[in-house]
């Protein structure tokens, strides 16, 4: 895997040497917004009006950030309005590819390109930076609207409401500050914390990631003993952002990223909550455990150089969750 420099692919693994063994995630660069009337969003330029059939998501089923966008597409009734291509789970020398498999990798259904980096250079032939998924693509202007999942889910939350008639709101105005606060802790110590733990190349960097990670899981376990969802009685984006990390915890992060003080199934509230969210309409179809387990173990050469995919326990996410 690697990154693009002036539109050219450079084979390079994450560099943790210059950061004292710590994994540092780089910021996404395409930051435009789809809006109902095409006006500019909080960042970027205008001209990306919500329209049925105009936009496309490039995702990996393995990737927790891309997974958020698939969940919002499902929850918000957008499956008939936004098309999807899913990359192959193996992310090797040339990054994400559009190889196909029989388990959900679709190929590039728009252009038939071979790699995700081709999508970035199609949008900007001089692009420099990492080639990540999700990518929200505009078929009309043939460019990337956004490659930042946190912003894509907020677009999907409301921009298409006039088209779908679905006004479910996972980013309610009255709770925004409180959601941001919870998101910040969960992002730093969990969503990204699992990567900081797994990609650490010094004991210090690992210790600095793994302890806050389990402190946050303990905090969430207690919070869910008092509240049905993170913000109370209704689901918000905070829950879905947490869910994509929890669903990968026992199959991947516990072993592969050395997040092994406990398993998810050891936390009764978090485990019931994860099953409840998994069983909500449309969500199960966004979870592809084959791609999740295969991707991490096969692609991260620095962590698992022999690419052995473990024989995992069967986990029954469909078991009754008993939460009311
Ligand atoms: N901030 C981005 C992060 C996306 C991201 O890091 N995706 C990973 C897959 S889980 C990726 O494509 N990594 C490839 C790379 O960094 O080279 C977002 O949330 O959309």
């Amino acid at each position: 895997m690697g990154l693009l420099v002036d539109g050219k692919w450079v084979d390079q693994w994450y560099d943790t040497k210059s950061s004292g063994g710590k994994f540092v995630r780089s910021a996404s660069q395409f930051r435009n917004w789809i809006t109902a009337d095409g006006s500019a969003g909080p960042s970027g330029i205008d001209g990306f009006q919500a329209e049925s059939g105009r936009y496309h998501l490039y995702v990996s089923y393995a990737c927790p950030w891309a997974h958020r966008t698939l969940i919002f597409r499902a929850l918000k009734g957008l499956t008939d309005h936004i098309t999807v291509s899913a990359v192959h789970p193996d992310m090797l020398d040339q990054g994400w590819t559009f190889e196909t498999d029989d388990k959900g990798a679709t190929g590039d259904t728009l252009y038939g390109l071979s790699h995700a980096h081709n999508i970035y250079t199609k949008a900007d032939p001089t692009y420099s930076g990492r080639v990540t998924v999700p990518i929200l693509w505009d078929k009309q202007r043939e460019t990337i609207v956004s490659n930042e999942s946190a912003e894509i889910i907020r677009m999907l939350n409301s921009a298409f409401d006039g088209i779908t008639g679905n006004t479910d709101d996972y980013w309610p105005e009255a709770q925004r500050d409180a959601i941001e606060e919870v998101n910040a802790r969960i992002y730093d110590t969990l969503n990204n914390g699992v990567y900081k733990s797994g990609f650490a190349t010094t004991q210090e960097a690992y210790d600095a990631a793994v302890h806050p990670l389990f402190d946050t899981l303990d905090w969430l376990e207690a919070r869910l003993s008092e509240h049905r969802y993170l913000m109370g009685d209704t689901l918000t984006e905070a829950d879905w952002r947490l869910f994509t990390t929890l669903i990968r915890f026992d199959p991947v992060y516990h072993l592969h990223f050395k997040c092994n003080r406990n398993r998810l199934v050891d936390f009764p509230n978090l485990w019931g909550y994860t099953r409840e969210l998994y069983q909500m309409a449309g969500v199960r179809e966004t979870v592809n455990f084959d791609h999740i387990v295969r991707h991490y173990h096969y692609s991260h050469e620095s962590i698992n150089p022999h690419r052995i995919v473990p024989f995992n326990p069967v986990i029954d996410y469909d078991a009754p969750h008993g939460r009311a």
Side-chain angles (χ1 to χ4, degrees):
M1 66 169 242
L3 72 168
L4 286 167
V5 176
D6 290 334
K8 300 224 166 33
W9 183 258
V10 181
D11 198 6
Q12 188 206 283
W13 187 246
Y14 284 112
D15 173 20
T16 57
K17 286 196 193 71
S18 54
S19 57
K22 284 190 283 204
F23 168 71
V24 180
R25 187 177 292 281
S26 40
S28 306
Q29 295 185 45
F30 292 92
R31 306 297 281 266
N32 305 303
W33 290 68
I34 300 173
T35 56
D37 61 1
S39 58
S43 56
I45 57 169
D46 64 357
F48 299 102
Q49 183 165 14
E51 283 173 49
S52 180
R54 175 169 166 182
Y55 298 97
H56 189 77
L57 274 169
Y58 287 101
V59 300
S60 157
Y61 283 110
C63 168
W65 319 100
H67 192 180
R68 298 169 169 179
T69 68
L70 283 174
I71 290 174
F72 271 71
R73 174 175 173 266
L75 296 174
K76 290 292 299 183
L78 289 164
T79 49
D80 291 339
H81 302 286
I82 299 177
T83 45
V84 173
S85 297
V87 297
H88 193 274
D90 298 349
M91 189 188 69
L92 303 172
D93 296 352
Q94 295 280 310
W96 295 113
T97 78
F98 291 115
E99 297 281 317
T100 56
D101 70 9
D102 57 1
K103 292 180 173 155
T106 60
D108 171 14
T109 54
L110 291 186
Y111 304 109
L113 294 170
S114 60
H115 292 85
H117 65 71
N118 301 132
I119 302 295
Y120 277 75
T121 49
K122 189 171 174 67
D124 175 2
T126 64
Y127 176 80
S128 292
R130 299 214 79 93
V131 171
T132 56
V133 288
I135 307 164
L136 178 60
W137 181 261
D138 179 356
K139 300 180 206 173
Q140 195 180 92
R141 290 171 70 160
E142 298 208 302
T143 196
I144 297 174
V145 181
S146 173
N147 66 337
E148 176 46 56
S149 64
E151 293 171 357
I152 297 171
I153 62 173
R154 289 190 185 161
M155 299 172 210
L156 303 190
N157 182 59
S158 59
F160 294 85
D161 288 8
I163 294 169
T164 60
N166 177 323
T167 53
D168 295 347
D169 187 5
Y170 298 96
W171 177 227
E173 194 125 21
Q175 288 178 296
R176 288 186 183 175
D177 289 346
I179 293 174
E180 290 282 32
E181 204 178 306
V182 168
N183 280 350
R185 176 164 181 181
I186 292 176
Y187 172 78
D188 184 43
T189 60
L190 261 186
N191 302 139
N192 202 32
V194 293
Y195 286 86
K196 290 196 280 189
S197 167
F199 283 134
T201 55
T202 63
Q203 185 70 45
E204 291 70 31
Y206 169 74
D207 291 343
V210 80
H211 292 289
L213 187 155
F214 281 99
D215 289 347
T216 293
L217 286 175
D218 290 339
W219 169 69
L220 289 167
E221 178 68 6
R223 191 174 176 110
L224 290 173
S225 71
E226 286 167 20
H227 304 282
R228 178 144 187 191
Y229 305 118
L230 290 184
M231 305 313 301
D233 296 335
T234 52
L235 278 164
T236 67
E237 65 162 41
D239 296 292
W240 295 111
R241 289 170 48 123
L242 173 60
F243 173 77
T244 66
T245 294
L246 296 181
I247 200 81
R248 287 163 177 71
F249 203 84
D250 287 358
V252 174
Y253 301 147
H254 176 71
L255 171 74
H256 181 70
F257 278 170
K258 301 189 189 75
C259 300
N260 47 337
R261 194 198 79 182
N262 302 92
R263 302 164 303 169
L264 178 72
V265 298
D266 299 324
F267 296 95
N269 295 313
L270 278 165
W271 173 222
Y273 166 86
T274 304
R275 296 202 305 287
E276 184 186 0
L277 268 59
Y278 176 80
Q279 293 170 24
M280 286 182 181
V283 175
R284 185 188 282 94
E285 293 75 13
T286 68
V287 183
N288 183 325
F289 286 112
D290 289 329
H291 279 213
I292 290 171
V293 172
R294 168 77 183 194
H295 162 68
Y296 285 90
H297 293 98
Y298 203 81
S299 307
H300 296 158
E301 198 174 352
S302 67
I303 302 177
N304 191 26
H306 299 298
R307 308 191 194 288
I308 290 167
V309 178
F311 178 38
N312 272 333
V314 175
I315 303 170
D316 187 5
Y317 294 91
D318 275 305
H321 54 76
R323 289 164 52 81

